[in-house]
Amino acid sequence: MKRYNTFPDYLGKGIAGICLTIASSLPALAYEQAPILDAQVEAGTLPPVDERLPKEPLVMDVIEQAGEYGGTLRRAILGGGDQHNMVRTIGSDNMVRWDPGWTEVRPNIAKSWDVSEDASKFTFHLREGMRWSDGAPFSADDILFWYEDVFSNPELTPNKDSTFVGPEGPVKVSKIDDYTVEFDFGTANGLFIQNMAYGFGYHPTAYPKHYLSQFHEKYNPDLQSLVDAEPAAADWIQLFNLKAGPMDTPLFWQNPDRPTLHAWHLTNVYGSTDRVVAERNPYYYKVDEKGQQLPYMDRITYDQVEDVETILLKAFNGEIDYMLRHLGRPSNKASLTDNMERGKYRFFDVGDLPANIMILMLNLTHPDPVKREVINNKDFRIGLSHAVNRQEIIDLLYFGAATAAQTAPREGSELYKEWYAKQYTEFDQELANKHLDMAGLDQRDDEGFRLGPDGNRFTLVFLVADVFGLQYPDAMELIANYAADVGLDIQVRATDRSRLIALHTANEQDAYLWNCSGGQADAYTTPICYVPIVSNSVSWAREWAEWGVDNTQGSEPPQAVKDIFTAYNEVKAAGNPEDMKARMQKVLDMSMEQFFTIGLVQNDPVFGIARNNVRNVPEPLPIAGQLWFPAPYTAQMYFEGGDNLP
C-alpha cells in the first residue's frame, strides 16, 4: 500500500511510485486563540486552546499574510433554497480538500491517506484529539455511524451519492482503530480521492454519533417520545431527517444544535429570521503558520432578502463584505462599478466556467407516457434546440459576455471538442420545424400549436427560479416565445429554488432551466449532465440515475444509457492519466451523441466583490459545480486588515 497526497500522483507514478505524505503540523509552541474566547477560558467554561486543538492541527497556507482576529463577515441570502450560500462559506470540511489553485488534493480532516496498489482501498488517518464544535471527541466511530447507520440504512439513504458507489456497488467502510478508517470499493476507483475533495465528499464527517444517535431507533429505546414531541415528524425516519438532513439541503441549516467540524456554527435557525448568524467554533482544528487558531473572523452573518436588487443595494451601502453569488454577472457590473467608492469594495476574478449556465433540462424519465415518448425522441430535442435564438438571449441578458454552446467541456479543457459545444446551436426555424415534424408532432390545432401522439396539444411546463443572478425568468419567457414560433406550447411557472429541487428530485417535473458543472477538470468527477447520476442539484433522468446505482430501483434505461454507465465505470478503473482521458472522451462521445440536455449559454469568467479591508481573498477564485469554494481553504483565512491593499 502506497501513501499519496492525490490520486493523479498515483496514476502518474504507478506501482513503483515514491511515497508522498502531506501532514502539515507545527513544532511545539504556544498556540493562540481569538480574544473573544479569553473570558470563557478564564472562567473555566472553555478549555485552554492547546487542549481544544488536535495533537497535529492542520497548518493552513496564507494567500497574503497571517491575519488578525475579530470582525464579522457580512453576506446576504435569498429566501428559500439558498442554503448553498452558507455551504460555500462554512460547510466544506471534508476528509481531504483541493489546494487554492485547484491543482492537487491535500489533507484536511484526514492528516494523510494510503492508496492500495490497485486503487481499490483508501485508508484515512484522522487527527488524534480532534473535537466537534460542542467539544465532544471526533473519531472513527463517527464515520462508522455515518456508514453503518445512515448510508447503509435504505430508509435513511434510499439513493446513495455516486461518490460512494464504485463499479461493484456501494463502498464498504471499516474501522481499523480509533483514528483510522478504510474505504474499500472491491475494484479500482481512481477518482475517489478527487471526489472526496469536492462538495459531496462531506458526508462521512458530518454525522456526530454522540448527538445524532438519540434520534436513531438503533440507539434510543425511548425514541417514540421524541417523535411525539416533534409535530413535523410522523415517525423516527422523519425525525432523524429533520435533525440530520444533508448539508446541501435546508434541513442541515435548520438545526443549530447539531455539532459540526466547521469553522463557524449556526446560532439560529435558517429560514426563521431575517438574519442567520454563525459564530466561531472554539474547537476548530486548523491554525496558521504562527500557531493562531482559525478562523480569524468571529462570525458570519447572512441577511435574508427577497431579491437580487436588495443584495445589490446592500453592496452599494457597504453592507456586504464578500460575495459573488447572485452578484457577479455582467448585468450587474456597471452599477457595481459606479458604486465602488460608496460601498468601499473591490472586484476579484472568479474562474467560474461550468459546462453551461443555461440548460433546458427535459425530464427523460417523465411519469406521463405521452410526454416521456416525445421528450425521449432526439429529433424533438434537436428541434427545440434549433428554435432558440441563443445570441439574442446573450445580447439582451448578458450584454454579449457569453457564447452560444451546448452543455460540454469548454475550450481550454483537455476534453474539449468543437462538435460537442456547437451541435444544433444554429438558430434556424426551418430546421426546428423539420425535426419537430420528424418527432411525430406534425399535426397542429386551430391556434397553430403542435399536437402530441394522443391528439391533444403538446404542452410542457418549465419550472424557473430566479437564482444566481442569471435572469432565468427573463430567459425562460424568451424561450417560450421562440418555441411558440415553431408551434410548441411552453408554459412558464415561477417557483423558488427549494420547491424546484423538491419537484425534480421527486421526478414530478416536465422540465426546468438550470446550469451544470463539467466544463473543466470536474467533468471527470461530476459528469452530472453527461451521465445520469443521482444529484439534488441536477435531475434530467432521475429514474435512470437511481437504476444506475441500484438495478432494483428506478426504471431500466435504454441500452445506449447502460453503455454510458459501463463506460464511466471504466473511467474510474483507469490505470494512468492518458488511459483515463481516453476513457472519459469515449463517455463524452457517447453522451453527446445521445444529446440528453439542451445547452444554451457558456458564460465568460465572472467576478465577485470584497470590501477593501477584507484580506487573504484568492484571485482568481476557482469554482465549478461541486467545487464548493471558498469554504475548503480560505474562508477561515479572511480577516480585516485595513483598506490599503498591496
Side-chain angles (χ1 to χ4, degrees):
M1 181 169 286
K2 303 295 183 181
R3 182 166 294 181
Y4 298 96
N5 66 308
T6 174
F7 190 69
D9 288 333
Y10 166 79
L11 287 175
K13 296 179 177 64
I15 294 175
I18 60 171
C19 295
L20 296 174
T21 299
I22 298 180
S24 299
S25 59
L26 287 175
L29 51 77
Y31 294 113
E32 298 180 37
Q33 67 184 12
I36 199 173
L37 301 176
D38 290 347
Q40 295 178 61
V41 174
E42 292 171 3
T45 58
L46 188 69
V49 63
D50 57 345
E51 296 178 16
R52 302 196 307 269
L53 288 166
K55 287 187 177 180
E56 298 177 82
L58 175 60
V59 183
M60 292 291 285
D61 296 332
V62 298
I63 301 299
E64 295 176 44
Q65 64 187 65
E68 302 170 2
Y69 284 123
T72 297
L73 191 71
R74 298 168 300 167
R75 293 171 60 84
I77 192 167
L78 290 179
D82 199 16
Q83 67 275 357
H84 274 277
N85 200 318
M86 294 178 287
V87 169
R88 289 183 180 275
T89 44
I90 297 177
S92 288
D93 272 289
N94 299 3
M95 207 88 83
V96 296
R97 64 189 171 92
W98 286 99
D99 74 303
W102 193 18
T103 59
E104 67 174 358
V105 178
R106 293 182 176 180
N108 204 49
I109 288 171
K111 65 180 182 181
S112 62
W113 64 90
D114 304 325
V115 181
S116 65
E117 295 192 358
D118 64 354
S120 66
K121 295 180 182 179
F122 304 82
T123 304
F124 295 96
H125 305 276
L126 308 178
R127 299 178 187 277
E128 184 177 350
M130 192 166 158
R131 297 175 181 271
W132 294 95
S133 56
D134 63 354
F138 166 77
S139 72
D141 289 335
D142 295 296
I143 295 173
L144 263 290
F145 175 77
W146 161 76
Y147 172 69
E148 295 177 348
D149 301 316
V150 182
F151 177 79
S152 299
N153 185 312
E155 292 183 286
L156 293 177
T157 311
N159 300 314
K160 293 174 171 44
D161 189 277
S162 59
T163 301
F164 307 102
V165 179
E168 294 190 357
V171 67
K172 293 180 174 61
V173 180
S174 57
K175 173 183 174 180
I176 307 301
D177 57 43
D178 285 347
Y179 299 103
T180 311
V181 290
E182 180 185 83
F183 285 62
D184 184 359
F185 289 92
T187 190
N189 188 354
L191 294 173
F192 179 61
I193 290 296
Q194 294 185 52
N195 270 316
M196 284 289 277
Y198 284 104
F200 289 105
Y202 76 83
H203 287 279
T205 55
Y207 292 84
K209 180 178 181 179
H210 72 283
Y211 172 76
L212 292 178
S213 57
Q214 66 181 305
F215 307 114
H216 200 292
E217 68 169 0
K218 176 179 174 180
Y219 299 95
N220 186 357
D222 299 320
L223 183 56
Q224 188 58 44
S225 63
L226 296 181
V227 175
D228 294 340
E230 176 52 68
D235 53 33
W236 82 268
I237 297 294
Q238 289 186 5
L239 177 66
F240 190 89
N241 286 330
L242 285 171
K243 301 299 183 180
M247 189 174 64
D248 51 301
T249 71
L251 290 173
F252 182 96
W253 306 97
Q254 292 168 352
N255 181 13
D257 295 332
R258 178 179 181 169
T260 76
L261 300 175
H262 302 154
W264 299 269
H265 62 92
L266 295 194
T267 62
N268 56 355
V269 178
Y270 165 51
S272 67
T273 177
D274 291 338
R275 174 174 290 177
V276 181
V277 179
E279 300 281 356
R280 71 165 55 251
N281 172 8
Y283 294 94
Y284 197 54
Y285 63 100
K286 299 180 184 180
V287 299
D288 69 10
E289 60 191 18
K290 294 183 177 180
Q292 297 182 113
Q293 185 188 30
L294 298 171
Y296 293 126
M297 288 195 172
D298 291 327
R299 66 188 60 83
I300 303 179
T301 61
Y302 303 86
D303 287 347
Q304 185 163 310
V305 301
E306 294 303 318
D307 51 52
V308 174
E309 287 70 24
T310 304
I311 299 178
L312 280 168
L313 184 59
K314 282 183 168 292
F316 300 160
N317 291 334
E319 299 171 11
I320 298 292
D321 291 309
Y322 168 86
M323 198 158 180
L324 60 98
R325 191 175 180 84
H326 306 304
L327 292 181
R329 300 296 168 184
S331 57
N332 298 327
K333 191 67 176 281
S335 59
L336 284 167
T337 300
D338 291 342
N339 286 277
M340 285 180 69
E341 185 174 352
R342 171 186 168 193
K344 296 183 179 179
Y345 54 78
R346 66 192 188 276
F347 293 119
F348 61 87
D349 291 333
V350 178
D352 187 7
L353 299 172
N356 210 284
I357 62 169
M358 186 178 295
I359 304 171
L360 303 179
M361 294 198 178
L362 306 169
N363 185 1
L364 299 179
T365 57
H366 202 295
D368 182 309
V370 173
K371 290 186 176 181
R372 187 167 184 157
E373 176 187 344
V374 173
I375 290 170
N376 272 274
N377 190 309
K378 182 179 174 181
D379 278 307
F380 174 78
R381 301 194 297 276
I382 293 172
L384 180 53
S385 183
H386 280 304
V388 178
N389 189 337
R390 291 168 172 79
Q391 193 58 51
E392 186 171 72
I393 291 174
I394 291 168
D395 292 340
L396 291 176
L397 302 184
Y398 303 125
F399 301 92
T403 302
Q406 294 292 350
T407 310
R410 301 174 70 116
E411 194 166 1
S413 164
E414 68 175 13
L415 298 170
Y416 172 78
K417 286 186 179 181
E418 185 177 9
W419 76 267
Y420 293 171
K422 296 304 180 183
Q423 65 173 339
Y424 317 128
T425 56
E426 181 184 2
F427 173 51
D428 189 324
Q429 292 180 336
E430 183 177 345
L431 269 177
N433 282 310
K434 174 184 174 182
H435 282 280
L436 292 172
D437 288 346
M438 291 168 61
L441 303 182
D442 53 341
Q443 301 298 312
R444 304 197 185 206
D445 63 18
D446 293 341
E447 296 181 60
F449 286 103
R450 294 176 181 272
L451 303 179
D454 58 356
N456 297 316
R457 179 184 293 187
F458 185 77
T459 300
L460 288 179
V461 176
F462 268 78
L463 302 172
V464 62
D466 190 3
V467 291
F468 315 129
L470 290 173
Q471 298 173 267
Y472 281 170
D474 295 334
M476 200 62 240
E477 292 295 338
L478 289 171
I479 293 164
N481 289 332
Y482 301 143
D485 289 340
V486 293
L488 278 179
D489 182 21
I490 286 181
Q491 301 295 316
V492 181
R493 297 287 183 270
T495 184
D496 65 24
R497 183 179 184 181
S498 58
R499 176 62 176 160
L500 189 155
I501 291 174
L503 288 171
H504 78 64
T505 54
N507 199 49
E508 295 176 359
Q509 86 286 10
D510 284 357
Y512 67 106
L513 195 66
W514 208 247
N515 62 79
C516 208
S517 58
Q520 303 172 79
D522 54 332
Y524 287 98
T525 52
T526 52
I528 53 180
C529 273
Y530 311 133
V531 181
I533 291 175
V534 173
S535 168
N536 285 334
S537 58
V538 171
S539 296
W540 45 270
R542 187 78 182 184
E543 291 187 354
W544 294 348
E546 292 171 355
W547 184 93
V549 174
D550 181 348
N551 293 356
T552 66
Q553 303 295 318
S555 61
E556 185 175 358
Q559 186 60 47
V561 177
K562 293 180 183 178
D563 292 342
I564 291 174
F565 280 131
T566 300
Y568 186 58
N569 283 336
E570 291 174 354
V571 172
K572 298 177 182 179
N576 58 67
E578 293 74 21
D579 190 22
M580 181 176 286
K581 177 185 174 183
R583 295 184 186 196
M584 190 66 208
Q585 206 81 69
K586 177 182 176 182
V587 170
L588 291 170
D589 286 346
M590 298 165 70
S591 178
M592 297 302 166
E593 180 61 32
Q594 292 299 308
F595 191 51
F596 292 126
T597 67
I598 302 171
L600 304 181
V601 176
Q602 287 186 339
N603 64 295
D604 290 354
V606 296
F607 62 90
I609 65 167
R611 287 268 288 179
N612 293 335
N613 64 339
V614 176
R615 309 294 289 272
N616 275 344
V617 175
E619 185 170 8
L621 179 75
I623 179 173
Q626 312 311 320
L627 192 69
W628 292 347
F629 279 5
Y633 65 97
T634 57
Q636 315 95 340
M637 304 297 291
Y638 295 165
F639 72 97
E640 295 180 347
D643 290 349
N644 297 320
L645 294 173

